[in-house]
Amino acid sequence: MKKINLPLVLVLLLFLLVYCTTNKSLQEVNFYQQVSGLPHIEGKTRYLASPYVTAGDRVYMIGYQDGSFPDLGWHITGEMGGIWDHPVKLMDGFNAKITLQGSNDSYCLNRADKFINYPMANSHHFTWEKENLAIERFQFVPDDVEGVIVEYIINNQGKEDKDIVFSFTGMTDLRPTWLGERTNMIDAVDSIYFDDRLSALIGKDNNNPWYVAFGSSLKTDNFSTEDNNCQTTTQKGLGRNATLSFSLRLKPNQKKIIPFFIAGSYKSKESLLANYHILMMEGYSKLTQKIERYKKINNISHLTIPDKGIEQMYEWLKYNTDWLVRNVPEIGVGLSAGLPDYPWWFGGDATYALQGVLATGDHELAKSTISLLEKVSEKTNGNGRIIHEVSTNGAVYNPGLLSETALFITLLKNYFEWTGDKPFITKLFPEVKKGIEWLLDNDIDGNGYPDGKGMMEIPGLDKEMIDVAAYTQQALSSAAEIAKALGENKLASDYQKLADDLRAKINKEWWNDTARSFGDFRGTVAEAKPILKGAIIRADTLKKPWIVAELKETEKQLGKYQAGEQIPLIIYRNWVVNTPLETGVADFEKGKAALETAKKYENPYGVYVTGIDRTEEPDSIVLKSRKKIFSYTGAVMTLPTGVQAVAAANYGKPDDVLRYVTMLYRSFSYALPGSMYEVSPDFGMMVQAWNNYGVDVPVINYFFGIKPKAYDKSIFISPDMPSEWKDASIDNVRIGSNSFSLAVSRESDHREYIIRQTLAAWTVIVDIKNSKRILVNNKEIDRRKTDGDRLMLTGKENDVLIY
């Protein structure tokens, strides 16, 4: 006798009981009406044929804004779009079609005339003008559920009844993530069948427990294993297509709602059915919960500034971060790098992005991402080195760059300052010590600079790199601060001495006074010549004769140096030459000079990744069309622009900071409404985690001047606002267990700080440098009794006037 799978039977019985008793009410649910009145941004018609994403922490869906699902991406060629439940893909996408009954006249819903993005959902609008039908497609992904809910609303705007057949074709493609073969995830052909009890189609990979189900709360009239001839993807994989059909009558001005539920599992059929059940029975409440959660996201570190465009960008960058949270229970929860091609975790990307995440209040996400990276790095390397890239199946592609380990140590310091989480930092401090040791061990010639690759992925740039030197100096200083806070005073002193010595060396040995810039790298003439040759070939290929001339002049200058002499070389003029400014390592005068030099290598959208790629052709500022082949050559990217914003802030240039933030704003909603592309303005990843770095950190840490030390229960403030901002406020900034708010107003003869916090015992330290008169809560303060240039305050409410 065949063994009965009791758990599966019980799940099915429970599902059918609830399904049968609530089917009518499910048909009446209108998900789309729940987002009415919420913030939203409408897309541009010319970018309808470009990607969007609707995301949850377990599943996300990527297609085009016009409603189609073309092949997308290069990491797995053509497969990075569709519906993913990492580490497995569920579907290439789906198609829908409306056919008039008794006629061959039909309309494919894959050429929308409008796309609207909401913080937690999106919609496509279609118009079948000939038949007076207006159709909305709305979708969202619930939190912590392996599935997507898609809703179609068909509105008969004509004066006659319409008898239609609505067909929905799902395209399964149950396949593994990138590097799946390294963990024995081998794709096989999918099978698909109709489940009468579920009234849904179920797909399964024939050799793996990977499942997908899709169906509706409306009873289907027909199903088939054919598509509806509206396909927009070539479906190169081993998936199958199948179609559900529904007959409907629409009276004049009547609307019909057709919800679809797409569930997945890479574990078992029981898990698949449980997910499908949650989507059908709890979908409405899940959307309500998600809307409320997004309202809370907006409320934390809530910004009010004169520039409403930048204010909107700041708000949506917090939502963008949430779209990129990847929860793979077998690996962990962490902030992924970008979509569609980087949906996994990166060491370097996280160290920039999490600075913004900490400042905008998601301390839990920062902690879980740090934990994930540390765990994978310890398993992979075991020596303090932080991995570069790990796929969602746990396979590590690159064990880590030197710069990433240095940046990770500073990230831990920042986490400690924002959260005060001493147990966590105490637990990870041995990794800090190992990381410092690993960095110093890579100083092959003993001159104080670790040798090896930093952030630039250009052949030959693997000697002594400026970003590695600058970030190592910052890491030593960060490690010193952590050690001191943990009571390891001798170690703190040792680390700080190394940091101070390295800072002096960088300013002495990396500065090129002729170029008014720090070098890309340090090396000998012999090491420089092949790199210089490669740069000349690149510039010539890109038809940049002015750059070729500059590089040939550099080639002549090499004759001044003796063989074996280490010199700071500026060849590619990569953005990393500005990392000594970003970290504050550069002496003040050098920093100001380098800021001016850097302005030569930017366009209205930001800073070039590689300065020699800059163009002098005015009509190429705005890209005429997106590139057909993926390449970062000639790119202006959000990270270099963000680095430059932080650099300008470090050297007292708030108007320049705002100029760079405004450059980033020019790319906001340029192609995908509510998001910012990785490569400005419309290339690469349509949403990228580190985009927040160039906005959140300058605004919170510098414009408002908030520098927390939660482990010491203190908050230092030194606002440095752009000249055109007279009034600005930020509310509900999370600092440890405290909630801090600051409003800044400026007049010609004074500035006012309205300070609020929930924990009265915490100390707020106000920078009063260059002040002549101070009033606190309408009482004048004796300047002689203050702590130098610092005013120490406690209490929940303080109003400070500084003249």
Side-chain angles (χ1 to χ4, degrees), residues 358 411-422 425 481-482 485-486 709-711:
L358 286 165
L411 171 63
L412 293 180
K413 188 264 297 185
N414 291 335
Y415 174 84
F416 198 16
E417 289 177 333
W418 278 103
T419 68
D421 188 351
K422 189 172 181 179
I425 291 299
E481 182 179 327
I482 297 172
L486 297 182
K709 286 194 176 179
Y711 62 79

Side-chain angles (χ1 to χ4, degrees), residues 96 205 215 241 491 599 637 696 698 708 764 783 785 795:
D205 181 280
N241 293 353
L491 188 59
K599 291 177 181 178
M637 288 180 69
D696 298 344
V764 178
R783 185 72 170 79
K785 295 182 179 180

Side-chain angles (χ1 to χ4, degrees), residues 184-297:
N184 202 33
M185 297 177 71
I186 308 301
D187 192 17
V189 173
D190 294 352
S191 59
I192 194 164
Y193 65 94
F194 185 78
D195 188 301
D196 289 304
R197 294 169 296 183
L198 203 61
S199 192
L201 285 156
I202 295 179
K204 181 188 181 298
D205 181 280
N206 282 341
N207 291 347
N208 298 283
W210 307 337
Y211 292 88
V212 64
F214 57 93
S216 175
S217 52
L218 273 65
K219 186 166 181 59
T220 183
D221 297 318
N222 185 37
F223 70 90
S224 71
T225 53
E226 304 295 329
D227 62 42
N228 58 14
N229 297 317
C230 289
Q231 192 167 327
T232 54
T233 178
T234 58
Q235 199 167 7
K236 299 174 182 177
L238 302 177
R240 296 282 304 279
N241 293 353
T243 301
L244 299 170
S245 299
F246 307 83
S247 297
L248 303 170
R249 166 167 286 188
L250 287 89
K251 297 181 181 300
N253 298 314
Q254 183 184 13
K255 292 182 180 179
K256 288 280 187 179
I257 298 172
I258 313 175
F260 287 93
F261 308 96
I262 303 170
S265 173
Y266 53 86
K267 290 292 187 183
S268 65
K269 188 174 182 181
E270 291 91 339
S271 176
L272 173 79
L273 295 175
N275 288 323
Y276 196 86
H277 168 78
I278 291 171
L279 294 175
M280 286 194 70
M281 302 306 145
E282 301 177 33
Y284 194 85
S285 62
K286 287 285 185 183
L287 180 53
T288 301
Q289 292 164 14
K290 189 157 190 170
I291 289 169
E292 290 305 310
R293 187 171 68 80
Y294 269 66
K295 288 179 180 178
K296 290 178 181 177
I297 289 173

Side-chain angles (χ1 to χ4, degrees), residues 364-437:
E364 293 75 19
L365 175 60
K367 184 174 184 176
S368 64
T369 306
I370 289 168
S371 296
L372 185 155
L373 291 170
E374 187 278 327
K375 180 178 71 174
V376 175
S377 297
E378 177 63 18
K379 181 180 177 181
T380 303
N381 299 316
N383 58 357
R385 182 183 189 180
I386 298 301
I387 58 101
H388 172 65
E389 183 177 9
V390 55
S391 188
T392 49
N393 62 337
V396 172
Y397 176 70
N398 181 328
L401 310 174
L402 286 163
S403 54
E404 288 169 315
T405 296
L407 283 162
F408 188 79
I409 292 167
T410 295
L411 171 63
L412 293 180
K413 188 264 297 185
N414 291 335
Y415 174 84
F416 198 16
E417 289 177 333
W418 278 103
T419 68
D421 188 351
K422 189 172 181 179
F424 184 64
I425 291 299
T426 301
K427 176 185 173 184
L428 291 188
F429 191 57
E431 298 306 309
V432 171
K433 291 189 277 191
K434 287 196 295 185
I436 293 292
E437 184 178 355

